[in-house]
Amino acid sequence: MTQPRTIEDLRSEVDQINRDLLRLLSQRGAVVAQIGHAKTQEGRPNHYDPAREEQQLKELEALNEGPFTTAAVKAIFKEIFKASLDLEESNDKKQLLVSRKVKSDDTVLDIDGVRIGGDAPPIIIAGPCSIESEEQMEQTAAFLAGKGIKILRGGAYKPRTSPYGFQGMGVDGLILGSRVAKEQGMLFITEVMDTRDVEIVAEHADILQVGARNMHNFALLREVGRARRPVLLKRGLSATIEEWLYAAEYILSEGNPEVILCERGIRTYEKWTRNTLDLSAVALAKQETHLPVIVDVTHAAGRRDLLIPLAKAALAVGADGIHVEVHPSPATALSDNEQQLDFAGYDRFIGALSAQLKQPVSV
Ligand code: PEP
Ligand code: MN
């Protein structure tokens, strides 16, 4: 006659089953991770597949012989599916090219000797909102070059709220901007808004700017990713930090590793500033990515009187540079005349930042 098994025996059998279950779960996790990797390779970042889940649950329901109810079995497996999905997605994130998990050291761009990011001193990008005339560009470039500024900005294609607003000088603006920058030994950065213009803009500009309104233009992101020029990527007006980093990932994934992120304020309910400068995004982007992160104080504030404190704060949280609009005569500027600095204003601005710029600043 067989003895009834002791509770100890039964418990040790349960312990053994736990170990077996854990081994099987780990095995399942490893296979799921491989599926996630294969999906990412195929460019399918969305891993959740309700139809596939439904199919697995149906099969388990048909196979279930008890003692657990079908509802209990389904609940257990749904937890397993959820954990598996988290695993697929966390592996996916780990593989982002923008992530510090893939590249832990800071990316330092070297654009014709101008270094941006990492241990380089903070960079200043300055110039008018729009390229308007030879006189305006020549005066501004000469003034800024005299102050040691190495990167001249100016829009030739302008994203304007109204289609009747000044749309920019187009190709003539590109030619003018690149000429005056070269004459002053500066780099030229300008916005590209359309995939069809990437080639011509890359021909004239040293750095391509993707504006806030185009951060979600995935075709444009891919196209600048194929261009052999560094890209300054503005954060979208309502983009989350994650969306901003994914936008940068589009560029890197096309083979262009030279991306500068630029926080330029996000749209909130606040009306006294044009946008709300999100400094936590700067600190967080620096933590999550190895890319240089700069701050455009001009478009963030939309008003001149806040540019100095905002730039100081941006540098204090670790920004790799500041982007600011400067115009010889802001009152008559064809765009953004509320927020551009005149030359005297620029002198005060840069003077106020000199201690933080870690380099002699000529004012
Ligand atoms: C700009 O820098 O000229 C500009 C239009 O900025 P944003 O895309 O940030 O609005
Ligand atoms: Mn502007």
Side-chain angles (χ1 to χ4, degrees):
M1 188 176 126
T2 51
Q3 289 284 328
R5 298 175 66 195
T6 64
I7 290 177
E8 274 67 42
D9 279 352
L10 292 167
R11 280 190 169 156
S12 68
E13 189 175 342
V14 164
D15 289 346
Q16 185 52 49
I17 292 171
N18 282 349
R19 286 191 283 272
D20 291 344
L21 281 174
L22 180 61
R23 188 178 40 74
L24 284 169
L25 278 176
S26 306
Q27 209 174 313
R28 188 184 192 283
V31 175
V32 159
Q34 283 179 40
I35 295 175
H37 186 63
K39 282 187 189 169
T40 307
Q41 300 284 85
E42 278 178 28
R44 290 160 59 189
N46 183 8
H47 297 300
Y48 180 56
D49 184 347
R52 169 80 182 127
E53 261 199 41
E54 187 62 30
Q55 177 209 344
Q56 293 177 80
L57 290 174
K58 276 221 170 75
E59 187 186 357
L60 293 163
E61 184 174 359
L63 290 172
N64 183 29
E65 292 172 352
F68 291 120
T69 64
T70 297
V73 170
K74 279 188 172 177
I76 292 166
F77 273 88
K78 277 188 180 170
E79 280 304 315
I80 295 175
F81 295 163
K82 190 177 166 304
S84 302
L85 188 64
D86 288 349
L87 192 67
E88 274 189 50
E89 287 183 347
S90 72
N91 279 351
D92 201 25
K93 277 209 185 77
K94 242 182 256 158
Q95 286 154 13
L96 285 190
L97 298 168
V98 297
S99 168
R100 282 213 189 264
K101 289 181 186 136
V102 166
K103 179 177 182 287
S104 60
D105 58 317
D106 289 329
T107 289
V108 184
L109 271 57
D110 187 332
I111 315 171
D112 292 339
V114 178
R115 295 173 74 245
I116 308 175
D119 60 353
I123 195 81
I124 299 284
I125 299 177
C129 182
S130 301
I131 295 172
E132 299 167 3
S133 69
E134 271 192 24
E135 195 190 5
Q136 170 231 24
M137 286 308 286
E138 281 169 359
Q139 278 182 17
T140 312
F143 169 75
L144 292 171
K147 304 289 172 181
I149 299 309
K150 297 272 181 265
I151 309 180
L152 178 69
R153 67 146 283 145
Y157 298 94
K158 297 302 301 174
R160 302 306 302 283
T161 303
S162 162
Y164 309 118
F166 175 59
Q167 303 288 306
M169 288 175 68
V171 177
D172 289 344
L174 295 177
I175 295 168
L176 176 55
S178 79
R179 173 176 67 76
V180 298
K182 239 184 229 103
E183 279 167 8
Q184 298 295 342
M186 301 167 93
L187 301 174
F188 175 49
I189 175 171
T190 196
E191 177 164 353
V192 57
M193 288 171 52
D194 192 311
T195 50
R196 292 167 296 187
D197 298 328
V198 171
E199 202 178 321
I200 181 91
V201 176
E203 209 175 286
H204 295 283
D206 301 289
I207 307 172
L208 306 175
Q209 178 171 317
V210 173
R213 287 153 197 82
N214 270 312
M215 192 214 83
H216 284 296
N217 182 342
F218 301 118
L220 181 63
L221 296 173
R222 284 200 190 280
E223 203 60 39
V224 297
R226 289 192 277 263
R228 295 288 149 255
R229 287 273 182 249
V231 177
L232 182 135
L233 176 65
K234 297 265 194 122
R235 180 179 178 192
L237 273 66
S238 310
T240 63
I241 299 168
E242 185 173 68
E243 287 166 341
W244 186 28
L245 300 188
Y246 271 120
E249 185 74 14
Y250 265 89
I251 302 172
L252 269 75
S253 70
E254 289 296 329
N256 187 348
E258 297 196 305
V259 173
I260 306 160
L261 295 167
C262 180
E263 157 66 29
R264 45 79 71 204
I266 49 173
R267 197 166 262 187
T268 68
Y269 49 80
E270 183 50 64
K271 292 193 289 191
W272 287 3
T273 50
R274 180 169 167 181
N275 291 290
T276 297
L277 177 58
D278 182 5
L279 288 177
S280 51
V282 177
L284 198 46
K286 291 282 303 170
Q287 208 166 288
E288 292 290 318
T289 85
H290 48 84
L291 298 171
V293 182
I294 71 161
V295 170
D296 170 357
V297 285
T298 304
H299 293 95
R303 45 191 288 175
R304 273 184 282 274
D305 57 346
L306 295 181
L307 299 183
I308 290 175
L310 293 187
K312 283 184 170 180
L315 293 172
V317 296
D320 296 298
I322 299 291
H323 175 284
V324 65
E325 286 183 349
V326 179
H327 190 287
S329 162
T332 59
L334 298 178
S335 56
D336 284 352
N337 49 12
E338 293 291 311
Q339 61 195 42
Q340 303 195 60
L341 290 174
D342 62 13
F343 294 170
Y346 175 82
D347 278 341
R348 282 192 295 277
F349 176 80
I350 212 71
L353 300 181
S354 60
Q356 286 172 280
L357 289 173
K358 293 186 235 152
Q359 60 181 352
V361 179
S362 42
V363 285

